[in-house]
Amino acid sequence: YVKRNPVQGRANITLDLSGGGKTFPAILTHMTGKTTFALVESGKIGLDIRTLAYAAKSAQFVGWAAAGKGNTIVEQLEARLALANSALTVESFRAKSGSVLYTSAGKVDIAEQLVDVVLTLGKLPSEPLSKTVETLAIRGSWSDPAISYAQREAVPETTASPGLAPTPISHLRN
C-alpha cells in the first residue's frame, strides 16, 4: 500500500473527539467527533493525482502503483472530517493546485481498512468552467483499492454549495 505521508506541510488542526474503551479497537469503535485541518502554507498530497487519473483513463485498475512515486503540490488544502463507528467521513475537502480544484467525498473505515472515496478534479471558480470534470473513484481495501476514472457534467458554483459538488457515493457502514 502507499507507504508515504498522505499530507505534508504545516497545518492548523482541530480535534473535537470523545470516546472510551480499554483496547485500541474498542476506543476506535466508540470514538465520535469531528476534525478539521487546513494547511498554513503550501504542502504536498502523497499521491501524484494527475498520473493516477491519466492511468485510470485507460482502464480501472487495482493498487497504488499507477500513482507513481511523485506527489501533488498544493497551494491550499482544507478538510472537515467526522469520525463515528471507526470510520472517517469526508464532510468537505478542497485543495488547490495551480488552476485545478480537487474536491472529495466519501468514507474511510479505519478498523476495516476500507476506502470508498470519490475525488473530483475540476477548475477553480475563477477559471472558465469546462463542460465536464474528471473524477476518480477509489474503493476497496486501502492497501489495494480499485481505482476508476469517469467524466461527468460540471456543476457551477453556488453560494449554497461552493465548488464542484462531489458525486454521491455509497457508505461502507451504516
Side-chain angles (χ1 to χ4, degrees):
Y1 70 101
V2 178
K3 293 184 179 182
R4 52 181 122 183
N5 292 329
V7 177
Q8 295 177 358
R10 290 180 356 136
N12 290 327
I13 301 171
T14 304
L15 299 169
D16 183 10
L17 305 172
S18 63
K22 294 185 179 186
T23 64
F24 181 71
I27 293 169
L28 188 58
T29 299
H30 295 100
M31 190 173 291
T32 60
K34 297 190 182 266
T35 182
T36 61
F37 68 90
L39 288 178
V40 176
E41 53 195 35
S42 65
K44 296 178 186 178
I45 297 175
L47 292 172
D48 186 338
I49 297 171
R50 297 303 291 166
T51 300
L52 196 63
Y54 181 78
K57 280 183 184 182
S58 299
Q60 177 176 314
F61 58 89
V62 175
W64 295 107
K69 295 182 180 180
N71 295 299
T72 300
I73 305 294
V74 293
E75 293 89 39
Q76 296 174 337
L77 188 149
E78 296 177 357
R80 271 194 331 264
L81 308 169
L83 176 64
N85 300 318
S86 77
L88 281 171
T89 300
V90 179
E91 292 185 338
S92 72
F93 175 92
R94 293 171 57 100
K96 177 186 175 283
S97 179
S99 64
V100 178
L101 176 65
Y102 299 106
T103 58
S104 186
K107 187 179 277 194
V108 177
D109 188 314
I110 299 166
E112 299 293 326
Q113 298 185 352
L114 296 171
V115 62
D116 186 8
V117 173
V118 172
L119 179 65
T120 301
L121 295 70
K123 299 253 185 194
L124 292 173
S126 60
E127 298 289 320
L129 189 64
S130 64
K131 292 183 181 184
T132 61
V133 294
E134 300 173 294
T135 62
L136 289 173
I138 304 168
R139 293 189 169 104
S141 162
W142 70 23
S143 61
D144 284 314
I147 301 173
S148 59
Y149 172 89
Q151 283 190 335
R152 64 177 177 83
E153 190 172 321
V155 177
E157 182 168 313
T158 66
T159 55
S161 176
L164 299 170
T167 304
I169 61 172
S170 61
H171 294 283
L172 295 172
R173 284 186 166 179
N174 294 334

